[in-house]
C-alpha cells in the first residue's frame, strides 16, 4: 500500500526468489535509487505514520469498543 515502484521501493512477485535476488542486486547497485527511496520513505512516514495523530484515532476506537453505547 505504501510502496510505489521506483519511487520509494521496488516490488517483486510473492514467491519469486530469483526475481527478488535480482531486484536486491539491482537496488544495491543504484545508490541514487536508494537515496531517493530513503527520502521518499521518510516523507511518507512523516505524513502517514504520525504517532500523535494515529494514536488519538486508535484510542478513540478502543474507547468505542469498550463502550458500545457511543
Amino acid at each position: 500500500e505504501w510502496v510505489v515502484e521506483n519511487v520509494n521501493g521496488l516490488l517483486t512477485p510473492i514467491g519469486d526468489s530469483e526475481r527478488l535476488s535480482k531486484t536486491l542486486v539491482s537496488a544495491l547497485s543504484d545508490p541514487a535509487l536508494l537515496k531517493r527511496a530513503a527520502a521518499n520513505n521518510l516523507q511518507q512516514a512523516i505524513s502517514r505514520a504520525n504517532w500523535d495523530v494515529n494514536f488519538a484515532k486508535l484510542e478513540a476506537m478502543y474507547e468505542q469498543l469498550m463502550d458500545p453505547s457511543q
Side-chain angles (χ1 to χ4, degrees), residues 51-61:
W51 176 255
D52 294 328
V53 171
N54 291 328
F55 185 77
K57 291 177 185 177
L58 181 62
E59 185 177 36
M61 283 188 251

Side-chain angles (χ1 to χ4, degrees), residues 1-41:
E1 175 182 330
W2 288 25
V3 178
V4 177
E5 183 75 20
N6 291 315
V7 174
N8 66 330
L10 301 170
L11 300 170
T12 59
I14 295 172
D16 189 341
S17 58
E18 184 174 331
R19 177 82 180 269
L20 176 60
S21 66
K22 288 178 181 179
T23 300
L24 289 171
V25 169
S26 175
L28 293 172
S29 315
D30 189 349
L33 170 66
L34 296 176
K35 187 174 182 175
R36 185 174 65 248
N40 289 336
N41 282 317

